[in-house]
Amino acid sequence: MKRISIIIVSVIAALVSSCHEPEYVLPTADRQGLTSLTAIFTFGPYVDQELAKLTIEDDGAERYEIPIPFFFPETSSDETLIYMTKLRVQAELQPNFKISPTLGILDLTEENWFDYTDPKGNTRKICITGTRTKGTLCDLVSFSVDDLSVSGIIYKDGSNKLQIPYLDDMSAVSVSAQVSPHATLQKINGKNYVPGQKYNMNSGATVTVLAHDGKTTRTYTVEQSIPELLDMGLRQASIEPLFNLEAVSMLGLPAFNEEAFVSLAVNDSKLAICTGSKTAPIYVNGYNGSKLGEVNVSGVTADVIANDEGGHVLFCNYAEGGSSAGEVKIYCSSSFTETPTLLTSFTNFISEPVGHRMKIVGDVAKDAVIVLTAEGIAGVTTTAKAIVIRIDGGTVVDTYSVDFAENGLGWGAAPVSIATVVPASATPWNDGWYVDYYENNSDPSVTDTSADSYILHHISAKGKDSHMALAGNWANNPNCLDLKHFNGASYMSLFVVSHFPCWGADPRLYLYDATSAGSISEVLVNKNIKNNQTGTYDGVFGATGDIAMWASLDGYRFFVFYYDHHAQTVGGYVADCFNI
């Protein structure tokens, strides 16, 4: 009993000691309580997406005007006025600050008055409303001397220099430009710009861009000179994202739970997106993603599209194999508006179908290799084959198949379980092939044992599989590859689409220097490509997409574009090779 009493006394003493000087913080209104107001769509194609946000630096004001962009998305012509009467407004408040009545759906074309109360109980009236604002962006995005087919180089270092790589006389030339969304090319040499008119663009000429607000301008000064280029490859520091768009509401592409056979092609800084032959492919501005129109597929069944390295776009149809073999027809055009013409045709001579995955290395007007990856038949068979079309001097000289079954490879049906086969160079009979697809395999070189691996295969010309493993997981599908050349180097891209974007599995993008066939090094890695899917998992396994690359014909810029249909995301990157 005595021992128990001692313990109780000790515990009480400890509690009294620990509470001897209580720490108590009085409510204070000295800190800022209201830090932001966000307006969110409540209806229309962008429902539940953020329209605008007002960051508040001083919450002592009486009136708060949320700046509503004039257009949404900014690159579109869709005006926002119709949404302003029913916007959900959310406030970011510090603890013990209150706004009453509770914010909800407001008409931001009107004044909305509320009581704003701080932690000490002080209350005052505040007004929340909205104001449509016109953009202030006034940048040159691209500039061309049309008569000479020369593109300018726009410096983003604050110098506002427009370098034109042409040294001869340009005293009377036509020019065109792409500028910031809703801005205008206002003046050339201080005079109002008129399309088609001739201008003196020699060194010292000026180009002025006017923002949508009608007030903000930026003037660029022309310098005629040839840029110094790197000896080989792209400039790492120049890699920058171009855009990332939600594919359904912004571009009208199929929803994530609709079937889509995705393929991409790039031409003249524009991106074409194909989701199968049921609808015409669309093409968008490669710098900002704004939709430009539909690709001309007159007389063509475009189940798959792709681009070569010489300014050509190729179209191919789906063709069964085996006893039901269909005719494979590949068409070609030099732009997205030109009517395609037949390049080659043949009866599918392998047992599996082709026509949902096509890649090209080289220039089909000169020397090139076209690869049609075969696809398995769901519930029937897998495949490890591809059809190869070899072009020499602009003429098809050989059409044959390759089979990687002896390497233990085998993939399933399109659009999800198919592989991509790309040549390791323009001469794969010397340098081999790269192959990737979804494999639930483990690899001893992957130290993260909690994850499966993406196994990127390099199959040499002698048939040896030197596979390279990348730590990954079961929630992604690494079946999108492309290979192109830029400034004397070879680059291969791998796009890993998502099986479960609704659970936070983001798409991933890898860009490799693949100049030495079979030996690659990372140039760009983004394991968190923006996931734009807002749906919920409903049993749809739609991890399908594509990746496409293109080097500008002047040799200065290199573009990488991607599309994950399941994550509803379309985007791109650009880099240059300037030695600056």
Side-chain angles (χ1 to χ4, degrees):
M1 184 71 181
K2 181 177 180 181
R3 182 172 178 271
I4 294 174
S5 299
I6 293 171
I7 293 173
I8 292 173
V9 171
S10 299
V11 170
I12 292 173
L15 291 172
V16 171
S17 173
S18 64
C19 299
H20 181 63
E21 294 182 0
E23 192 173 76
Y24 183 72
V25 179
L26 290 172
T28 174
D30 292 340
R31 68 186 188 278
Q32 180 173 319
L34 179 60
T35 55
S36 71
L37 291 167
T38 302
I40 300 169
F41 289 101
T42 61
F43 66 95
Y46 316 114
V47 63
D48 294 329
Q49 294 186 43
E50 180 182 308
L51 170 60
K53 184 174 183 177
L54 172 65
T55 299
I56 299 169
E57 297 180 356
D58 178 10
D59 66 348
E62 179 185 59
R63 183 181 182 87
Y64 298 98
E65 296 185 6
I66 302 175
I68 306 297
F70 216 81
F71 301 97
F72 189 91
E74 189 177 27
T75 56
S76 76
S77 297
D78 298 333
E79 296 200 20
T80 55
L81 182 60
I82 61 171
Y83 302 107
M84 286 188 65
T85 58
K86 292 182 179 180
L87 287 170
R88 183 181 299 111
V89 177
Q90 296 178 345
E92 185 178 7
L93 286 169
Q94 296 301 313
N96 300 321
F97 286 84
K98 297 178 182 179
I99 293 178
S100 59
T102 303
L103 294 181
I105 296 176
L106 303 181
D107 180 352
L108 291 187
T109 66
E110 303 286 343
E111 293 185 342
N112 303 276
W113 289 92
F114 297 88
D115 290 327
Y116 178 49
T117 305
D118 68 24
K120 292 183 176 180
N122 300 315
T123 300
R124 60 185 178 86
K125 294 287 186 180
I126 63 170
C127 175
I128 298 176
T129 187
T131 302
R132 291 179 75 205
T133 58
K134 295 183 177 182
T136 59
L137 294 177
C138 50
D139 298 323
L140 268 181
V141 177
S142 66
F143 188 88
S144 298
V145 181
D146 299 330
D147 298 347
L148 305 172
S149 299
V150 173
S151 296
I153 301 162
I154 301 153
Y155 282 72
K156 301 179 181 180
D157 57 1
S159 65
N160 292 341
K161 182 170 76 172
L162 172 58
Q163 184 179 25
I164 298 181
Y166 188 81
L167 302 182
D168 293 336
D169 181 59
M170 295 192 299
S171 57
V173 294
S174 298
V175 300
S176 59
Q178 180 180 315
V179 297
S180 299
H182 307 292
T184 56
L185 178 58
Q186 184 191 33
K187 295 182 178 181
I188 303 290
N189 297 326
K191 296 183 179 179
N192 290 337
Y193 169 72
V194 179
Q197 187 169 312
K198 302 292 185 181
Y199 294 97
N200 181 350
M201 296 308 300
N202 288 323
S203 287
T206 58
V207 177
T208 301
V209 181
L210 176 67
H212 185 223
D213 67 0
K215 298 179 292 183
T216 310
T217 62
R218 176 169 285 117
T219 298
Y220 297 81
T221 302
V222 170
E223 176 187 292
Q224 285 179 272
S225 59
I226 304 300
E228 182 181 354
L229 305 183
L230 297 173
D231 292 336
M232 177 180 285
L234 59 79
R235 181 168 61 97
Q236 188 91 25
S238 73
I239 301 173
E240 62 176 342
L242 291 165
F243 60 89
N244 178 286
L245 298 179
E246 198 280 323
V248 180
S249 63
M250 296 185 179
L251 296 176
L253 295 170
F256 75 95
N257 53 3
E258 298 177 34
E259 186 176 58
F261 296 87
V262 174
S263 57
L264 303 178
V266 193
N267 182 268
D268 191 24
S269 305
K270 302 178 183 69
L271 169 67
I273 305 169
C274 177
T275 56
S277 60
K278 293 181 181 179
T279 58
I282 66 167
Y283 68 102
V284 304
N285 185 309
Y287 286 97
N288 59 32
S290 60
K291 186 175 178 179
L292 299 175
E294 292 186 350
V295 177
N296 184 347
V297 290
S298 177
V300 174
T301 301
D303 287 300
V304 64
I305 62 176
N307 61 278
D308 73 351
E309 300 183 85
H312 304 99
V313 184
L314 274 63
F315 309 81
C316 185
N317 63 297
Y318 172 84
E320 295 281 359
S323 59
S324 302
E327 190 79 1
V328 177
K329 295 183 179 181
I330 299 177
Y331 287 79
C332 178
S333 69
S334 296
S335 74
F336 294 138
T337 57
E338 177 183 288
T339 301
T341 58
L342 185 65
L343 177 68
T344 186
S345 65
F346 56 89
T347 300
N348 184 5
F349 52 87
I350 62 175
S351 54
E352 298 84 14
V354 296
H356 286 132
R357 188 67 91 204
M358 175 170 61
K359 296 294 174 179
I360 308 112
V361 173
D363 181 351
V364 297
K366 299 175 183 177
D367 302 325
V369 176
I370 304 171
V371 180
L372 297 171
T373 302
E375 53 200 79
I377 302 172
V380 178
T381 185
T382 59
T383 185
K385 298 175 186 174
I387 290 178
V388 181
I389 300 103
R390 180 180 173 183
I391 296 176
D392 190 358
T395 301
V396 174
V397 296
D398 198 6
T399 302
Y400 61 96
S401 66
V402 290
D403 192 342
F404 305 110
E406 289 186 359
N407 299 102
L409 277 59
W411 52 86
V416 177
S417 300
I418 191 174
T420 300
V421 178
V422 296
S425 73
T427 56
W429 42 91
N430 295 326
D431 297 318
W433 313 85
Y434 289 107
V435 184
D436 211 351
Y437 59 100
Y438 184 84
E439 296 177 86
N440 191 18
N441 293 349
S442 60
D443 187 277
S445 66
V446 179
T447 56
D448 181 4
T449 56
S450 66
D452 295 328
S453 60
Y454 309 142
I455 299 180
L456 174 62
H457 300 268
H458 174 252
I459 311 297
S460 72
K462 295 182 179 180
K464 181 181 178 182
D465 185 356
S466 301
H467 62 266
M468 308 150 203
L470 306 169
N473 60 63
W474 52 270
N476 294 94
N477 184 7
N479 71 340
C480 305
L481 293 175
D482 196 14
L483 188 140
K484 294 291 187 285
H485 299 90
F486 178 62
N487 192 32
S490 299
Y491 291 96
M492 182 179 63
S493 53
L494 164 63
F495 187 50
V496 184
V497 293
S498 176
H499 280 297
F500 301 103
C502 52
W503 292 347
D506 294 331
R508 304 179 179 192
L509 186 149
Y510 300 83
L511 179 65
Y512 303 100
D513 186 326
T515 305
S516 178
S519 176
I520 60 175
S521 58
E522 291 179 349
V523 175
L524 169 67
V525 176
N526 185 345
K527 295 184 180 181
N528 299 107
I529 294 291
K530 186 180 179 183
N531 170 11
N532 293 313
Q533 201 222 93
T534 57
T536 56
Y537 176 65
D538 60 359
V540 176
F541 289 75
T544 176
D546 195 16
I547 192 162
M549 300 189 293
W550 180 76
S552 60
L553 298 184
D554 60 15
Y556 297 149
R557 297 173 184 83
F558 191 61
F559 295 82
V560 181
F561 295 102
Y562 57 84
Y563 172 30
D564 184 333
H565 164 64
H566 207 203
Q568 299 183 351
T569 185
V570 178
Y573 284 84
V574 66
D576 63 49
C577 58
F578 303 137
N579 187 15
I580 57 177

